[in-house]
Amino acid sequence: MIDKILLEQIISNFREAIRVVTINKVRTFLTALGIIFGVAAVITMLSIGNGAEKEILAQLELVGVNNIVVTPIPDEEDENASEDDEGAKETTRFSKGLDLLDVVSIQNNIPTIKAVSPEIILETYVINKGRQNSVKLIGVTNSFFQTSNIHIGKGSNFSEEHAVNAASVCIIGEKVEKKLFPGESAIGKQIKVKDVWLQVIGIIEEKLISEKAQENLGIRDLNQDIYIPVKTFLVRYKDRKIISDEPLDFSGGGMIIIGGANNGPKKRIPRGNYHQLDKLTVQVNNSNELKSTAEVLSKLLKRKHNDVLDFEITIPIQLLKQQQKTKQIFNIVLSVIAGISLLIGGIGIMNIMLASVLERTKEIGIMRAIGATKQDVILQFLSESVLISIGGGIIGIILGIVASYGLELATGIETILSLNSIILSFFVATFIGLAFGVLPAKSAANKNPIEAIRRE
């Protein structure tokens, strides 16, 4: 019975609150602006945070959680260097470059290694049925599909026989299949890549890779590549380790004498890209071994390369963690801004409600004179405060949803709305109205009804 009376009283108070706040619509709206923008900021911030978290997880899947990437540094010294510099460069050590021998050394000498995946990349073209398309031809081992989290959707992987005998076979991306064989399966078909005919034995599952991920992580769209065994690449296409029988071209590298054998210093010509491999992905057993393995790997390669640092080692997961940390800082800043906005909104509500108490002293006096208790007055003014907050919160939720979608369309930043963020924002808005409405409500309840009427 008591609960029913209390419920009727609350409903009655809210009806009266609706009447009061709708009398001054403009003032009510201006009072709620802080809550509106604060709630909108909270929802937008949480949607950006959810989108960033999803993006980080997707990128982790792309680069591999336990991967270390080794990339070669081609010799691109400036030919216009000063003579003083040339004298110093004369003593530069010779490096054999990143090659398959390094792969064997890594596998045999570092126990924390799970898999090693070499890659050789060639920008070329593929011809099928008279159509020519630009593609990337990638020489790989079967470890590549493991370290890159790639699965063969149709067909099969390279066999041991394919790898040993440099067989003319390939695995293609799904987009390549759609371009070259629209409406039909490519398995078993022949395609001509540059001057070599290759038989398609497998199609990789399509892997969604955003342009942003490609740019930030330096990865390719794997769906548009053609993969062949690394030995097939070296035998049938190009091996930078093999000396060409073509006439000497000094632009490729080496040492020449300027002005005769004894006249002037030797001039060093850049060797260009003398590395046999274009990329080396090393997968370790446990993520906590990444840093130590990278240090051992660096020392091993430096020793193999005659103390020449012509390679770069990166740990993608560390880059992603740094990126995630930056985004977390950004979210914290947004949270602070949203919190300040909500605080200002709450102060605005309290200020307007205190002004309302002064304006409605006669009304308060009459309420007390006809039997209203202090609790009744407190509930009445709290109802008005909470109503303003809830109204501002609802408008803020709508604005936050619109802002989240608008931000994604305008900037390309992925945003993900969640029901939890909307519910949280609603309860925060309600709490703000309740917390900042207490002081005005108590002030109204403590008014002396007789003095209030006399002042009027």
Side-chain angles (χ1 to χ4, degrees), residues 6-51:
L6 180 61
L7 180 62
E8 289 178 353
Q9 186 179 6
I10 291 173
I11 293 173
S12 175
N13 285 335
F14 267 98
R15 285 176 180 171
E16 180 63 18
I18 292 172
R19 184 191 69 80
V20 171
V21 298
T22 52
I23 291 175
N24 296 301
K25 297 183 181 65
V26 176
R27 188 174 72 174
T28 301
F29 177 74
L30 294 175
T31 304
L33 273 181
I35 300 295
I36 292 172
F37 289 124
V39 169
V42 168
I43 291 177
T44 306
M45 173 206 67
L46 292 175
S47 67
I48 292 174
N50 291 337

Side-chain angles (χ1 to χ4, degrees), residues 170-319:
C170 68
I171 295 173
I172 64 176
E174 195 167 288
K175 290 183 180 178
V176 177
E177 181 187 36
K178 290 177 181 178
K179 282 182 182 179
L180 301 181
F181 303 95
E184 58 180 317
S185 174
I187 300 296
K189 304 289 178 61
Q190 297 278 338
I191 59 175
K192 189 177 183 181
V193 181
K194 201 173 181 182
D195 300 322
V196 180
W197 285 95
L198 302 173
Q199 183 182 17
V200 179
I201 64 168
I203 315 292
I204 66 171
E205 288 183 357
E206 187 170 8
K207 202 174 184 69
L208 298 177
I209 304 174
S210 66
E211 292 183 3
K212 187 175 180 182
Q214 293 179 48
E215 181 181 349
N216 290 346
L217 302 176
I219 57 179
R220 307 181 308 273
D221 186 352
L222 306 177
N223 308 293
Q224 302 191 60
D225 297 339
I226 296 177
Y227 306 94
I228 61 175
V230 68
K231 191 170 182 181
T232 302
F233 191 106
L234 296 173
V235 171
R236 301 182 184 275
Y237 286 94
K238 186 178 182 180
D239 186 353
R240 301 188 192 103
K241 287 293 181 183
I242 297 177
I243 300 175
S244 174
D245 57 359
E246 297 176 358
L248 289 176
D249 179 6
F250 288 109
S251 63
M255 301 288 292
I256 64 173
I257 305 301
I258 306 298
N262 299 315
N263 296 329
K266 295 178 181 180
K267 183 177 180 181
R268 185 176 185 276
I269 303 298
R271 297 167 61 196
N273 188 4
Y274 55 89
H275 300 271
Q276 187 180 46
L277 305 178
D278 292 308
K279 185 179 178 181
L280 193 59
T281 302
V282 178
Q283 190 174 68
V284 301
N285 293 310
N286 300 307
S287 56
N288 57 1
E289 297 172 335
L290 280 169
K291 189 175 180 181
S292 58
T293 303
E295 292 174 354
V296 174
L297 180 62
S298 177
K299 292 177 181 178
L300 184 148
L301 290 177
K302 194 172 181 182
R303 187 179 71 247
K304 295 281 292 182
H305 293 201
N306 200 18
D307 286 333
V308 177
L309 194 63
D310 57 351
F311 57 88
E312 183 180 18
I313 295 178
T314 57
I315 304 176
I317 191 173
Q318 290 187 349
L319 298 177

Side-chain angles (χ1 to χ4, degrees), residues 385-428:
S385 175
V386 170
L387 184 64
I388 294 173
S389 285
I390 290 177
I394 293 172
I395 297 173
I397 289 171
I398 297 171
L399 182 62
I401 293 172
V402 173
S404 297
Y405 283 116
L407 186 66
E408 184 172 358
L409 291 174
T411 64
I413 297 174
E414 185 176 10
T415 57
I416 299 177
L417 285 167
S418 67
L419 182 62
N420 290 337
S421 65
I422 294 174
I423 294 174
L424 175 65
S425 301
F426 182 80
F427 278 106
V428 166

